[in-house]
Amino acid sequence: MQDKIVIKGAREHNLKNISLELPRNKLIVFTGLSGSGKSSLAFDTIFAEGQRRYVESLSAYARQFLGQMDKPDVDEIEGLSPAISIDQKAHSANPRSTVATITEIYDYMRVLFARIGSPRCPRDGRPIQKLTVEEIVDQIVRREVELHRGDGSAKKKSQSGEVTVLAPVVRGRKGEYHQLLYDLYNAGFSEVRVDGKMRSLRSRLVLSRFRSHTIELVVDRIPLGWPLEGNKAFRSRLAEAVEIALDRGNEVVAAILDDGSEVTMSSRFSCPNDGFSFPEIEPRLFSFNSPYGACEFCHGIGTESIWSETICPKCLGKRLRDEALHVFIGEKNIVELTGMSIGEAVSFFKKVPLTEREQEIASAILKEVQGRLQFMLDVGLDYLTLNRVAGTLSGGEAQRIRLASQIGSRLVGTLYILDEPTIGLHQRDNARLIETLEKLRELGNTIIVVEHDEDTILASDYLVDIGPGAGKHGGKIVVAGRTVDLLNRKGAVVGDPKKSLTLQYLFGEKEISVPEKRRKDSREKIRIVGAEENNLKKIDLEIPLRRFVCVTGVSGSGKSTLVDDILFRAVSNKLNGTHYRAGKHRALLGVEYLDKVIEIDQSPIGRTPRSNPATYTGAWMHIRELFTATEEARIRGYKPGRFSFNVPGGRCEHCEGHGSIAIEMHFLPTVWVRCDVCKGRRFDRETLEVVYKGKNIHDILKMTIEDADGFFRDIPFIHDKLRILREVGLDYLELGQSATTLSGGEAQRVKLGNELARRATGRTLYILDEPTVGLHYADVQKLVDVLQRLVSTGNTVVVIEHNLDVVKSADWVIDLGPEGGDRGGQVIAAGTPEEVAQKAGSYTGAELRRVLKK
């Protein structure tokens, strides 16, 4: 096998016809300024070509789309392995998707509970034993005798004095079931109940394969009072029906009176005390996605509806029916087990007492569960609970979960491409993540990581620095070579190490300097009293106002709970009149010192591909008005709507202004291909004939923010907005770049630029969550300057951050911990960076000591 990946003539986006050789089975880091071309090379060229070749190797059904799939703009790539992309947009917003379901741990747990779980009666808590076929038959006979010798209620209900005994063979599953019905007829049975209706097996039954069906076999019709104890023919027929039902994994057996009322006769799991019959214990009993296992009131959501936060009154948020909650392994039901943190679950499965027979049955399943849990432990996710909803995970957490799952798959000879896996990770945990990447490499895989983290760069085998600038000023290989050689200044395979901005920061030739003095003696403060949401331990703390404040701590220590769930929501409710459910706390004091609060998070700037930086900042409205005022537009009578791709009139109606068409791949993510009518230009021919300074509306959308800033320099309304976007380091973005292609960090900086463009009022509280995502050292310097400028005009900036260059630049640091999850939630240190650096027991303090010494 070729020992190199050879890339020839890559020109995707801003790449300048670059050629590069990368070693296989190594850990490779792509670094460089934001917008320099790292993602264009890693994802849009290498991964895109790997995906295209994979699809090409599939069936004719898959290949029919290849004529529409754009090949990356590259001459040739040799030595390319099957590629897997692990990005930060992997988590689902589905409320049913959890950490346990994403990693497939929940699937294994369901099988585990079905095979070795111990059921208990929901009524009296007594253990329930599995019955044999003969015991089931005995119990049905006894039940029938008790039913008809009792108070005569069955006789009163029954008009003909007859009971129909049923054994279910299909429960709520789709299919036509021709063969099953034919086999039942050949076995001597003559009647079934299908979806509640009695049907003869002698007639041809046609069932829809698209609908769920319930098929119950009619064992016999028994006259009331008929002696069953010695009726061998009935017992034989009943035993045969019971075996058929058990073979198909269904509960058995019910009796139906001729007035339509039903009586459960027996099941494979029945309470010896009160006769309570359990449904068949199978994996779907523990699925909140299946009608068989989900709570019948909330249908497995856990709340009254998907739009409500009110806990379901039936299951109390546990999602499952009562029977599923009464199956136990080691005194824990499946809900209690998924309520554990990953660290707790690892300990539980190491100590769970199992008999020799249970161990033999469960050994393969336990190996999978324990392996996946250990992988997540290794990437610093010990604090996450298994039932954590996927939509609440950060991009970094979701990416590391997928990374752990990939290690569990044990693939060999694969190319993995990751996008900043250290996001959201404290420096203390970097070593564990790097060790995980090295394990993936040692299996015989090639790892390409787009990253700025210093620890990851230093641990890499090969380093590629792309630049030298961003956008049109980037797209070249500044330097590439073995990392150890570059760090020892021994030269490079490609480029000149002296021209690498990254190496200059690593060598200490450039640095983000510590402020000469910090803002102190703030008399105005926000005081939070008794914060105890999630893992917070009833903490009290003060946040000085008119200051640059960093909240730090290891992953899961309680930073987001404190800042987002309590501080932002409570202040917003008081100042903005919102109705957020603020995290639990006793009091919030000092809000009177603020005029407004703004949270600048990493959520997308729009929900559709049509949203872009121009529309979000409001610059697009002025640009459309500018085109409307041109002589050609006035002659034609065009209004501003003519230059909008969101409404009919001037846009291309074939793609409805997207510029591309979505192709559903079913087995792969949706592929967007260029519209063959407008050729990706989004507007119709007549609209594109109108120009301003030689540019049509599509040309404007394709401009970078840097180019557009110069083009509209004489238009203040547009120039002011674009200038601010440049100041936050977004020169390289195109005005019309789809919101769905922006990283979380880029979206956050667009929002930050939009806020900076507004008229400054002071007395505003700005809250940001990891704004350094995707930023190179040089870009971090720009960000720090912008945040300091906000504070200098009388505002307060509170940032959740791990980047030490930002933390050391703050006026005040609040460090939470000491660990994540239940072992976190305390204030470990609060003060200036220098004061926190001297605090014993603070992981952030220890890292700050090292940085401040430099």
Side-chain angles (χ1 to χ4, degrees), residues 471-504:
K472 67 180 181 182
H473 304 296
K476 298 179 181 179
I477 303 299
V478 179
V479 67
R482 292 176 62 222
T483 306
V484 64
D485 291 341
L486 296 178
L487 294 176
N488 291 326
R489 303 176 191 259
K490 289 184 178 179
V493 175
V494 178
D496 183 358
K498 293 180 181 178
K499 295 180 180 179
S500 168
L501 201 56
T502 301
L503 291 176
Q504 290 173 26

Side-chain angles (χ1 to χ4, degrees), residues 20 39 64 194 277 343 347 349 468 481 498 636 649 702 710 724-725 733 806 841:
L20 181 67
S39 295
Q64 69 179 306
V194 180
S277 290
S347 300
F349 281 111
K498 293 180 181 178
R636 297 186 182 199
K702 295 299 291 181
I724 297 294
L725 291 178
L733 289 184
V806 176

Side-chain angles (χ1 to χ4, degrees), residues 109-122 128 269 278-282 285-286 320-337:
M109 282 187 177
R110 292 194 295 117
V111 176
L112 195 64
F113 272 83
R115 298 294 174 261
I116 66 169
S118 301
R120 296 177 191 169
C121 178
I128 294 176
F269 295 90
F278 239 86
E280 183 71 9
I281 300 177
E282 53 178 309
L285 177 65
F286 306 98
L320 297 172
R321 60 191 288 187
D322 205 31
E323 291 88 342
L325 301 174
H326 282 82
V327 181
F328 297 86
I329 293 178
E331 300 302 315
K332 298 286 184 184
N333 65 31
I334 197 166
V335 171
E336 292 169 334
L337 194 49

Side-chain angles (χ1 to χ4, degrees), residues 424-439:
L425 203 60
H426 193 276
Q427 284 77 12
R428 185 204 66 167
D429 299 318
N430 271 1
R432 287 195 290 179
L433 174 64
I434 292 168
E435 185 180 342
T436 302
L437 296 176
E438 290 171 341
K439 282 182 184 176

Side-chain angles (χ1 to χ4, degrees), residues 808-821:
K808 74 181 185 183
S809 303
D811 301 313
W812 195 259
V813 177
I814 299 170
D815 189 40
L816 300 183
E819 301 290 341

Side-chain angles (χ1 to χ4, degrees), residues 430-685:
N430 271 1
R432 287 195 290 179
L433 174 64
I434 292 168
E435 185 180 342
T436 302
L437 296 176
E438 290 171 341
K439 282 182 184 176
L440 207 55
R441 178 194 62 193
E442 297 307 318
L443 286 172
N445 300 298
T446 305
I447 319 295
I448 294 178
V449 183
V450 176
E451 188 59 90
H452 301 103
D453 175 69
E454 184 174 318
D455 293 334
T456 310
I457 292 173
L458 296 178
S460 66
D461 301 309
Y462 201 85
L463 180 65
V464 179
D465 189 20
I466 302 174
K472 67 180 181 182
H473 304 296
K476 298 179 181 179
I477 303 299
V478 179
V479 67
R482 292 176 62 222
T483 306
V484 64
D485 291 341
L486 296 178
L487 294 176
N488 291 326
R489 303 176 191 259
K490 289 184 178 179
V493 175
V494 178
D496 183 358
K498 293 180 181 178
K499 295 180 180 179
S500 168
L501 201 56
T502 301
L503 291 176
Q504 290 173 26
Y505 276 97
L506 289 174
F507 292 148
E509 296 168 0
K510 286 183 178 289
E511 65 175 2
I512 299 172
S513 57
V514 177
E516 293 182 6
K517 62 178 183 178
R518 309 204 185 267
R519 304 176 185 89
K520 294 183 179 180
D521 303 324
S522 175
R523 296 181 181 179
E524 297 178 354
K525 298 174 182 177
I526 286 281
R527 187 161 178 247
I528 300 174
V529 182
E532 53 178 321
E533 180 74 6
N534 294 336
N535 67 332
L536 297 180
K537 306 294 193 297
K538 295 184 179 180
I539 62 174
D540 301 337
L541 77 154
E542 293 181 342
I543 300 174
L545 299 179
R546 323 282 174 251
R547 299 291 179 269
F548 180 15
V549 181
C550 269
V551 180
T552 63
V554 299
S555 301
S557 59
K559 305 182 297 297
S560 295
T561 299
L562 175 66
V563 177
D564 296 332
D565 297 349
I566 296 180
L567 177 62
F568 169 69
R569 293 187 178 194
V571 173
S572 179
N573 288 345
K574 290 189 177 184
L575 293 182
N576 301 340
T578 52
H579 300 282
Y580 294 124
R581 190 193 73 80
K584 191 175 181 182
H585 63 287
R586 276 210 324 273
L588 181 74
L589 309 175
V591 180
E592 64 272 15
Y593 299 123
L594 298 171
D595 287 338
K596 60 180 176 179
V597 58
I598 295 171
E599 183 178 41
I600 306 174
D601 59 19
Q602 295 183 22
S603 61
I605 59 173
R607 297 183 179 181
T608 71
R610 291 195 185 98
S611 299
N612 55 54
T615 57
Y616 185 82
T617 59
W620 190 241
M621 178 181 66
H622 298 295
I623 291 171
R624 289 194 294 123
E625 290 174 350
L626 201 61
F627 271 80
T628 306
T630 61
E631 184 178 359
E632 185 66 27
R634 284 188 286 112
I635 291 172
R636 297 186 182 199
Y638 289 170
K639 303 298 181 187
R642 181 81 193 193
F643 303 97
S644 171
F645 42 74
N646 286 319
V647 295
R651 71 183 184 183
C652 169
E653 288 306 319
H654 183 68
C655 63
E656 296 183 333
H658 283 289
S660 54
I661 305 291
I663 302 295
E664 295 293 341
M665 298 298 286
H666 302 293
F667 50 87
L668 286 173
T670 298
V671 173
W672 287 85
V673 298
R674 192 176 67 174
C675 173
D676 55 3
V677 174
C678 69
K679 308 301 181 187
R681 293 182 293 177
R682 309 179 75 165
F683 294 91
D684 62 25
R685 181 174 53 81

Side-chain angles (χ1 to χ4, degrees), residues 170-413:
V170 174
R171 281 285 196 202
R173 291 183 175 176
K174 293 179 181 179
E176 296 174 324
Y177 298 107
H178 292 318
Q179 189 63 46
L180 170 65
L181 295 170
Y182 181 74
D183 291 342
L184 293 177
Y185 178 71
N186 285 339
F189 295 95
S190 61
E191 197 174 5
V192 290
R193 185 169 71 162
V194 180
D195 301 334
K197 293 182 179 180
M198 291 296 182
R199 308 286 293 272
S200 172
L201 284 171
R202 294 185 179 88
S203 60
R204 187 169 181 270
L205 300 180
V206 180
L207 306 183
S208 170
R209 63 190 177 97
F210 302 108
R211 285 186 53 197
S212 296
H213 301 289
T214 295
I215 303 174
E216 297 156 300
L217 183 60
V218 176
V219 179
D220 214 338
R221 296 182 185 273
I222 309 167
L224 288 176
W226 189 271
L228 296 179
E229 290 93 330
N231 191 329
K232 293 182 179 179
F234 173 75
R235 290 179 65 93
S236 175
R237 190 176 178 82
L238 183 59
E240 186 178 1
V242 166
E243 286 180 349
I244 292 172
L246 292 179
D247 285 344
R248 300 192 63 83
N250 288 295
E251 59 183 278
V252 292
V253 169
I256 179 170
L257 305 178
D258 65 357
D259 69 343
S261 58
E262 294 190 28
V263 180
T264 301
M265 299 289 277
S266 178
S267 79
R268 199 168 191 179
F269 295 90
S270 294
C271 178
N273 184 49
D274 57 21
F276 176 86
S277 290
F278 239 86
E280 183 71 9
I281 300 177
E282 53 178 309
R284 62 178 178 149
L285 177 65
F286 306 98
S287 171
F288 42 77
N289 289 320
S290 167
Y292 191 78
C295 166
E296 58 270 27
F297 184 85
C298 67
H299 306 292
I301 294 294
T303 56
E304 287 188 347
S305 73
I306 58 174
W307 302 280
S308 168
E309 292 187 2
T310 305
I311 297 298
C312 170
K314 175 73 173 175
C315 67
L316 303 179
K318 296 176 182 177
R319 300 182 171 212
L320 297 172
R321 60 191 288 187
D322 205 31
E323 291 88 342
L325 301 174
H326 282 82
V327 181
F328 297 86
I329 293 178
E331 300 302 315
K332 298 286 184 184
N333 65 31
I334 197 166
V335 171
E336 292 169 334
L337 194 49
T338 54
M340 291 181 176
S341 69
I342 289 166
E344 292 168 340
V346 168
S347 300
F348 173 83
F349 281 111
K350 283 181 178 177
K351 299 175 183 177
V352 61
L354 298 177
T355 65
E356 186 175 334
R357 180 175 178 277
E358 289 172 338
Q359 185 65 45
E360 185 178 351
I361 294 170
S363 59
I365 304 171
L366 285 173
K367 182 180 179 182
E368 287 290 343
V369 172
Q370 291 172 319
R372 289 165 194 260
L373 289 171
Q374 187 61 48
F375 295 142
M376 286 194 284
L377 201 66
D378 291 343
V379 293
L381 297 173
D382 55 298
Y383 60 92
L384 288 181
T385 57
L386 288 168
N387 62 5
R388 175 82 171 264
V389 177
T392 66
L393 297 172
S394 70
E397 287 169 338
Q399 189 180 29
R400 291 198 295 281
I401 286 173
R402 287 191 65 206
L403 176 61
S405 300
Q406 286 299 327
I407 296 174
S409 68
R410 295 278 170 183
L411 291 177
V412 176

